[in-house]
Amino acid sequence: MTLKELSKQYYDDVEMLTELIEKQRELTKNYTGAKLHTANRYLVCLYEMRREARITAETLEHYYDEVSSGRIYHPRPKEI
């Protein structure tokens, strides 16, 4: 499996999580009290999972691009 293919799978996960978030937001409109609080915490988790999946997909998609010189952990050494 190539990095581009793996990136595509992460983008598919982003779409699936987006659909799940939309469904959960519709359900949350009918909740009150503790049930609403629990549903909102679940939504926050879904948003975070989607964010992480999107970042991972973008990183994998552009891993070998010259533009992706802004690597987080290993910055490109400066030329002297």
Side-chain angles (χ1 to χ4, degrees):
M1 174 177 283
T2 67
L3 291 180
K4 295 274 185 190
E5 293 169 341
L6 189 56
S7 172
K8 171 73 171 98
Q9 287 187 345
Y10 274 97
Y11 278 125
D12 291 344
D13 288 345
V14 169
E15 290 177 21
M16 184 264 312
L17 286 166
T18 299
E19 292 172 9
L20 190 58
I21 287 169
E22 290 172 3
K23 290 177 184 175
Q24 185 64 28
R25 288 184 70 194
E26 278 299 314
L27 291 173
T28 303
K29 291 179 181 179
N30 300 324
Y31 297 159
T32 59
K35 197 169 186 179
L36 176 62
H37 178 71
T38 303
N40 284 335
R41 289 185 63 184
Y42 179 61
L43 271 171
V44 169
C45 290
L46 291 176
Y47 281 119
E48 181 65 21
M49 288 168 48
R50 183 177 68 177
R51 181 180 151 282
E52 291 294 327
R54 185 181 309 121
I55 289 170
T56 303
E58 290 170 358
T59 301
L60 290 170
E61 183 178 30
H62 301 290
Y63 188 79
Y64 292 113
D65 294 353
E66 190 65 29
V67 178
S68 70
S69 62
R71 293 192 178 117
I72 297 171
Y73 302 108
H74 302 287
R76 184 179 300 243
K78 295 180 181 179
E79 295 181 22
I80 299 175

